[in-house]
Amino acid sequence: MELTLQNITKKYERVLVLNDISLTLKPGIYGLLGANGAGKTTLFKILLGLTSATQGTATVLGMDCKNESLEILARTGSLIETPVFYEHISARKNLKIHLEYMDCKDADKKIESILEKVGLKDSADQHVSTFSLGMRQRLAIARALVHEPSLLILDEPINGMDPVGIRDMRELFRNLSEQGVTILMSSHFLSEVELVADDIGFLVNGTIVREVQSQDISQQNAGGLEDYFMKAIQGE
């Protein structure tokens, strides 16, 4: 399996953020939904080894998240919280620095390919400081993908994008999935999650309260994912 969580709990002092979460992620696209403060970002950080669980075990691509975080970062792509770049150099140079850090070969070829896929080919040599929020998100997704990982962990990847950008990313994520890349993503754009995700989990107060196949939602609920989400977080 691409990712496995067993009885993951996370506490910050006396605040319980994640409560006994178990999850197995299979190939495809998994959408993790929850209100602000539900624990999504904390869970993603545990998977990437950026913070440790208070108890429980987590593995990514067969590697222990607590003890093999550097290996996990090398084999996954991620976008967590607000992306940070070198502002006064170009998008292309930002990606080149990232690939040097990752010790990747064929950097120029990889960079040109990913810039085209995320729609930044014509802006590649602009300083990142001139980028709009949507362009920065495109660059963050490019950086997550440029070293060709087999697993993506994306926290609000289409935040700040216009309708064109949202559509472009929807097509990109589906194409990546068809090519064998597994994607774990969170988003408040429920309609987009419904369009791209194979499976959806609902995180409420640090606990996954429900999991469902996306294709079953319209059959079970006439109001679609938005209505289903509201019922899930309200305990109905």
Side-chain angles (χ1 to χ4, degrees), residues 3-190:
L3 180 157
T4 302
L5 302 171
Q6 293 182 324
N7 308 114
I8 290 293
T9 294
K10 178 65 175 179
K11 292 181 179 178
Y12 289 107
E13 296 182 352
R14 296 183 180 181
V15 179
L16 182 63
V17 180
L18 299 174
N19 184 18
D20 198 31
I21 291 179
S22 294
L23 172 68
T24 298
L25 193 69
K26 59 185 179 182
I29 301 177
Y30 188 100
L32 183 65
L33 303 182
N36 290 335
K40 304 183 297 296
T41 300
T42 298
L43 181 60
F44 289 176
K45 287 181 177 180
I46 288 172
L47 292 171
L48 294 167
L50 302 176
T51 189
S52 298
T54 305
Q55 65 183 47
T57 59
T59 60
V60 170
L61 302 175
M63 296 175 285
D64 181 78
C65 296
K66 185 175 182 179
N67 299 314
E68 298 176 274
S69 59
L70 291 179
E71 291 86 349
I72 288 172
L73 289 172
R75 292 183 55 192
T76 60
S78 62
L79 193 175
I80 305 293
E81 297 183 321
T82 304
V84 177
F85 303 105
Y86 296 100
E87 295 287 329
H88 297 294
I89 61 174
S90 68
R92 189 191 309 277
K93 289 181 179 178
N94 267 273
L95 294 177
K96 188 167 185 178
I97 290 171
H98 178 72
L99 286 181
E100 287 174 355
Y101 176 76
M102 290 290 185
D103 195 25
C104 289
K105 298 179 180 179
D106 299 322
D108 291 341
K109 183 178 179 180
K110 287 181 170 67
I111 289 169
E112 294 309 309
S113 175
I114 200 60
L115 285 169
E116 184 166 3
K117 286 179 180 178
V118 302
L120 287 179
K121 184 177 180 180
D122 294 336
S123 307
D125 295 312
Q126 288 181 219
H127 285 185
V128 175
S129 60
T130 68
F131 277 18
S132 67
L133 178 57
M135 292 171 71
R136 295 172 75 90
Q137 286 296 104
R138 287 176 183 260
L139 180 56
I141 292 170
R143 186 170 62 187
L145 283 169
V146 70
H147 58 290
E148 301 177 345
S150 57
L151 172 66
L152 286 174
I153 298 177
L154 305 175
D155 190 13
E156 300 292 343
I158 58 174
N159 183 40
M161 289 192 182
D162 61 19
V164 174
I166 292 172
R167 182 200 62 192
D168 290 347
M169 293 307 106
R170 181 197 313 151
E171 294 176 356
L172 175 61
F173 296 154
R174 290 307 309 174
N175 288 338
L176 289 168
S177 179
E178 291 170 2
Q179 294 165 18
V181 178
T182 299
I183 302 174
L184 171 62
M185 64 181 293
S186 73
S187 179
H188 292 310
F189 290 83
L190 300 184

Side-chain angles (χ1 to χ4, degrees), residues 30-31 197-202 210-218 220 225 228:
Y30 188 100
D198 302 300
D199 299 284
I200 300 174
F202 298 85
R210 193 178 302 178
E211 291 183 284
V212 64
Q213 290 186 331
S214 182
Q215 64 186 13
D216 293 337
I217 289 176
S218 59
Q220 297 176 12
L225 179 56
Y228 195 98

